[in-house]
Amino acid sequence: MRTKRMISSIVEIVIGVALVACSYAGLVDEFWSGMGAALLVVGILQMARLIRYNSNEEYREKIDVNNSDERNRYIAAKAWSYAGYVHVFIAAIGTIVFRILEQETLSMLCSFSVCVIIVIYWISYGILQKRY
């Protein structure tokens, strides 16, 4: 698993450097330059974290406990559920506000987002209800 993460970090760094270089060469626009910079930073941070995990026994133990702790899993699940609730409300409000502002594309995007989240919720609920 650590090897896969290390390879993933290296790939992120390489893609990030390539996108930034292509932007400086004028081959792509600023969006891809920003995406490349973000990938580069994420790759470097993940690599540093992995190196620390492999070399520091105390840090490794702390991370392993945090990853397997029931309390942390519960908190993470609650955080995801709150994020979902807030997203639905913001997107629903955005649907109405964008419609009032006659921004139909943005309004449809927000309403589609709400619908997708609700469909995912129903499917997940059905699966979890059968499992538990």
Side-chain angles (χ1 to χ4, degrees), residues 5-17 39 43 47:
R5 287 185 181 169
M6 185 68 76
I7 291 170
S8 173
S9 296
I10 292 169
V11 168
E12 288 172 345
I13 291 169
V14 169
I15 292 172
V17 168
L39 277 172
M47 179 86 70

Side-chain angles (χ1 to χ4, degrees), residues 56-68:
N56 187 334
E57 183 67 34
E58 185 178 308
Y59 178 74
R60 179 182 14 229
E61 186 176 316
K62 177 184 169 188
I63 294 299
D64 289 344
V65 167
N66 279 340
N67 288 341
S68 63

Side-chain angles (χ1 to χ4, degrees), residues 15-29:
I15 292 172
V17 168
L19 287 173
V20 170
C22 286
S23 175
Y24 282 121
L27 301 173
V28 295
D29 62 22

Side-chain angles (χ1 to χ4, degrees), residues 69-130:
D69 183 39
E70 281 292 318
R71 181 176 174 270
N72 282 335
R73 288 182 183 211
Y74 174 78
I75 290 170
K78 283 300 252 188
W80 272 111
S81 68
Y82 288 162
Y85 295 144
V86 170
H87 171 80
V88 167
F89 285 118
I90 290 172
I93 291 167
T95 299
I96 296 166
V97 169
F98 286 130
R99 183 61 65 167
I100 291 169
L101 296 174
E102 297 180 4
Q103 298 289 322
E104 292 185 21
T105 304
L106 294 175
S107 177
M108 290 298 292
L109 179 66
C110 286
S111 62
F112 179 74
S113 174
V114 171
C115 290
V116 167
I117 292 290
I118 290 172
V119 168
I120 291 170
Y121 171 79
W122 283 337
I123 292 169
S124 301
Y125 185 83
I127 291 169
L128 291 172
Q129 193 174 30
K130 289 179 182 178

